[in-house]
């Protein structure tokens, strides 16, 4: 392992000062992804800014109709607040509960999950369908980005080296909507996600009034699946319409992974079909 | 980097290398070799320790990150004796075989029992879901944790 310098930030102000002053830095909090990469030598020679002690970024609060989560909140910290979350975001809670293991949930943070930009990040598909907004701060300015626009490529996100993700905010969906989440992995605990789908869905008299779908593991990063959504909006929720969606979804996914090995394609076919079936209800 | 930390109830001020994980710091610098290195990627739980009371994988934490925090390893003789009761009960129930996963299992158990004195079997299964055992299977381990809860004063047992 090769790390240049280590800086500890106790406050947001300290952190953005450090980020502005030192180049080639990476932020570390829970470390559940970064330390593996450092240990395996995938990342070398950088400096680390440790934000794990910044308490002001560890919060979960509901203001009016909006939920705000500090980026430094661990998955367990957020789940400790689940009793105050409305039923309409059940799928978000389930996604967090499905993360890794108790040890990973005690260390890993929601901000880290987002900023890593992993295609398999469990918290992101639910946050995309919730229309979450990210508040990002640097020494010079503060800006707000739609989470959907934050991802630029596998492991690439719209976050400058001088910037820090402060918080994640989303509005509580209306009472008629429900957020469903389903993920495929080889086992219940300690497993990387093979594919996950979140759907925020409003069904009235068996007609899909509105639906937002986001997937993880079916693209280079977690994305909103507008093409899939359009196939269901205004449609009756019956076997015929659902089958049409599932077949189209498989085609949409297959187009993205044309050059991949066959067994990978088969796996993605099974997981997109199964996961969609679980969430569209 | 100089850090102030508490390891197994003892306050220490120490210099840690930038490139050292907590696991390596515990084993190589403090010679607390009860904490085991398994997979080194957070998938086996053998290196589990408690940081500020919560079970975490010490292979995924940098040593400098425990500055201002409190760490408990399997070597701790904690003030309330809970850890010793859990250890003894694991032996009574025949939970260890090769023993490699035991330090992590016992600390995940302590993490659970410190928060929840009356766990159900399902709570126990969830609490040790990040700890792999490849010898005994998990039944005797679950039994040991449930029995520990009873000994420590819970009602379900």
């Amino acid at each position: 392992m090769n790390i240049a310098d280590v800086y500890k930030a106790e406050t947001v102000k300290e952190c953005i000062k450090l980020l502005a002053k030192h180049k080639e830095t990476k932020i570390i909090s829970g470390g559940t992804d970064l330390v593996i990469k450092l240990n395996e030598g995938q990342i070398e020679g950088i400096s680390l800014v440790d934000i794990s002690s910044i308490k002001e970024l560890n919060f979960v609060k509901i203001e009016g109709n909006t939920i705000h989560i500090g980026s430094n909140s661990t998955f367990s910290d957020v789940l400790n607040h689940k009793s105050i979350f409305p039923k309409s975001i059940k799928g978000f809670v389930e996604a967090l509960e499905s993360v890794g293991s108790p040890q990973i949930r005690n260390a890993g943070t929601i901000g880290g999950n987002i900023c890593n930009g992993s295609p398999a990040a469990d918290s992101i598909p639910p946050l995309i369908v919730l229309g979450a907004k990210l508040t990002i701060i640097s020494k010079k300015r503060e800006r707000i980005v739609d989470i959907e626009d934050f991802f630029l490529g596998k492991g690439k996100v719209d976050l400058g080296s001088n910037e820090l993700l402060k918080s994640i905010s989303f509005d509580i969906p209306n009472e008629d909507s429900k957020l469903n989440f389903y993920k495929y992995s080889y086992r219940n605990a300690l497993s990387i996600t093979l594919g996950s789908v979140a759907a925020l869905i409003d069904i009235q008299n068996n007609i899909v009034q509105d639906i937002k779908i986001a997937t993880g593991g079916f693209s280079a990063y977690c994305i909103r699946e507008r093409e899939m959504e359009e196939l269901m909006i205004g449609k009756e929720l019956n076997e015929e319409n659902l089958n049409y969606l599932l077949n189209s979804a498989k085609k949409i996914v297959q187009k993205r992974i044309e050059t991949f090995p066959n067994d990978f394609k088969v796996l993605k076919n099974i997981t997109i079909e199964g996961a969609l079936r679980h969430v569209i209800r | 980097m100089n850090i102030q930390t508490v390891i197994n109830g003892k306050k220490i001020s120490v210099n840690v290398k930038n490139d050292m994980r907590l696991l390596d710091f515990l084993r190589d610098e403090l010679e607390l070799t009860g904490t085991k290195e398994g997979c080194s990627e957070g998938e086996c739980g053998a290196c589990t320790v408690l940081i500020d009371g919560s079970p975490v994988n010490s292979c995924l934490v940098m040593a400098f990150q425990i500055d201002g925090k409190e760490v408990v390893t399997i070597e701790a003789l904690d003030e309330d004796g809970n850890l010793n009761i859990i250890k003894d009960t694991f032996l009574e129930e025949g939970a260890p075989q090769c023993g490699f996963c035991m330090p992590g299992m016992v600390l995940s158990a302590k993490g659970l029992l410190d928060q929840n004195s009356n766990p159900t079997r399902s709570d126990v299964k969830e609490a040790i879901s990040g700890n792999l055992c490849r010898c005994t299977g998990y039944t005797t381990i679950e039994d040991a944790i449930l029995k520990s809860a009873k000994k420590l004063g819970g009602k379900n047992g």
Side-chain angles (χ1 to χ4, degrees):
Chain A
M1 208 185 301
N2 174 1
I3 294 165
D5 287 306
V6 167
Y7 308 99
K8 182 176 174 173
E10 303 258 9
T11 63
V12 171
K13 215 173 158 187
E14 265 177 43
C15 179
I16 54 178
K17 251 193 204 166
L18 284 165
L19 293 174
K21 194 171 162 196
H22 304 283
K23 303 293 162 202
E24 302 289 313
T25 56
K26 251 194 171 321
I27 293 169
I28 183 167
S29 187
T32 55
D33 284 295
L34 184 59
V35 176
I36 297 175
K37 288 180 187 155
L38 291 168
N39 192 45
E40 289 177 351
Q42 291 178 39
I43 298 176
E44 283 199 310
I46 52 151
S47 296
L48 297 175
V49 176
D50 181 18
I51 64 163
S52 60
S53 301
I54 301 185
K55 294 202 172 65
E56 64 188 294
L57 292 184
N58 187 342
F59 60 82
V60 176
K61 55 186 181 191
I62 301 182
E63 280 175 355
N65 195 42
T66 308
I67 295 178
H68 303 276
I69 301 173
S71 60
N72 211 21
S73 311
T74 66
F75 297 109
S76 298
D77 291 333
V78 180
L79 287 168
N80 284 340
H81 289 81
K82 73 176 181 185
S83 60
I84 62 165
F85 288 157
K87 248 182 25 206
S88 57
I89 63 164
K90 188 172 73 61
F92 175 61
V93 171
E94 286 170 359
L96 299 189
E97 284 173 337
S98 80
V99 171
S101 66
Q103 290 93 321
I104 300 285
R105 293 193 292 276
N106 287 339
T109 63
I110 190 131
N113 203 223
I114 294 168
C115 292
N116 259 326
S118 162
D122 292 316
S123 72
I124 298 174
L127 288 172
I128 290 177
V129 297
L130 285 165
K133 305 236 185 294
L134 308 178
T135 303
I136 293 166
I137 188 171
S138 66
K139 210 177 159 193
K140 284 192 186 130
R141 63 175 179 154
E142 187 166 301
R143 65 190 177 102
I144 291 173
V145 182
D146 281 343
I147 191 166
E148 209 190 319
D149 302 325
F150 187 64
F151 306 102
L152 308 172
K154 190 175 177 183
K156 278 193 192 138
V157 294
D158 176 18
L159 187 76
S161 61
N162 59 342
E163 289 183 312
L164 170 72
L165 170 61
K166 254 174 82 180
S167 61
I168 300 104
S169 308
F170 56 85
D171 289 343
I172 296 168
N174 70 47
E175 283 173 11
D176 298 328
S177 301
K178 56 183 173 179
L179 174 51
N180 296 326
F181 175 79
Y182 195 82
K183 109 173 183 191
Y184 274 98
S185 47
Y186 285 119
R187 45 184 187 272
N188 286 335
L190 293 169
S191 190
I192 304 287
T193 303
L194 297 172
S196 68
V197 180
L200 183 65
I201 185 165
D202 176 3
I203 303 169
Q204 304 292 332
N205 305 318
N206 212 35
I207 307 287
V208 178
Q209 302 293 332
D210 197 12
I211 186 167
K212 290 189 178 73
I213 301 173
T215 61
F218 297 104
S219 177
Y221 44 92
C222 299
I223 54 168
R224 175 107 176 252
E225 300 283 6
R226 288 200 163 71
E227 216 181 322
M228 297 181 198
E229 293 170 7
E230 276 160 23
L231 296 171
M232 283 314 286
I233 290 173
K235 299 275 165 63
E236 191 182 341
L237 188 57
N238 57 31
E239 202 54 27
E240 193 190 337
N241 287 336
L242 190 58
N243 276 332
Y244 184 71
L245 168 73
L246 299 179
N247 286 325
S248 309
K250 282 192 271 188
K251 280 180 203 151
I252 294 168
V253 169
Q254 290 297 320
K255 224 187 264 172
R256 292 182 199 147
I257 54 172
E258 265 173 350
T259 56
F260 285 71
N262 213 30
D263 54 348
F264 184 84
K265 290 184 186 168
V266 171
L267 188 66
K268 293 295 165 180
N269 254 351
I270 297 169
T271 47
I272 188 70
E273 181 174 8
L276 272 171
R277 212 175 249 292
H278 273 98
V279 298
I280 300 190
R281 58 185 158 79
Chain B
M1 183 172 166
N2 186 268
I3 62 165
Q4 323 281 323
T5 182
V6 178
I7 310 272
N8 296 336
K10 206 174 136 198
K11 261 190 198 169
I12 57 169
S13 170
V14 64
N15 261 312
V16 295
K17 292 181 197 143
N18 285 352
D19 58 0
M20 203 164 227
R21 298 173 302 171
L22 175 57
L23 172 64
D24 308 317
F25 175 66
L26 292 172
R27 289 181 58 87
D28 301 342
E29 299 283 319
L30 302 183
E31 298 184 353
L32 295 172
T33 53
T35 305
K36 302 303 178 201
E37 177 163 21
C39 67
S40 277
E41 47 187 34
E43 299 218 346
C44 77
C47 67
T48 302
V49 300
L50 303 181
I51 297 184
D52 290 343
S54 296
V56 298
N57 300 306
S58 62
C59 74
L60 301 183
V61 179
M62 298 304 291
F64 60 79
Q65 292 189 284
I66 60 164
D67 181 40
K69 294 171 188 152
E70 200 173 333
V71 179
V72 172
T73 73
I74 194 66
E75 287 89 351
L77 292 165
D78 54 344
E79 284 165 12
D80 54 10
N82 285 5
L83 193 52
N84 300 325
I85 290 174
I86 300 169
K87 286 180 197 168
D88 290 346
T89 314
F90 268 66
L91 291 175
E92 282 165 28
E93 290 297 306
Q97 192 167 315
C98 87
F100 194 80
C101 71
M102 281 296 123
M105 284 287 181
V106 169
L107 286 163
S108 283
K110 180 171 163 55
L112 169 71
L113 298 176
D114 286 349
Q115 298 278 321
N116 179 355
S117 58
N118 252 331
T120 62
R121 189 169 285 269
S122 140
D123 294 335
V124 170
K125 284 184 177 176
E126 176 55 36
I128 59 166
S129 63
N131 296 80
L132 300 185
C133 165
R134 295 289 91 136
C135 296
T136 67
Y138 297 90
T139 316
T140 53
I141 296 169
E142 289 161 24
D143 290 345
I145 298 172
L146 288 168
K147 194 171 165 191
S148 302
K150 210 172 192 177
K151 284 191 191 174
L152 292 168
K155 294 174 203 98
N156 283 353

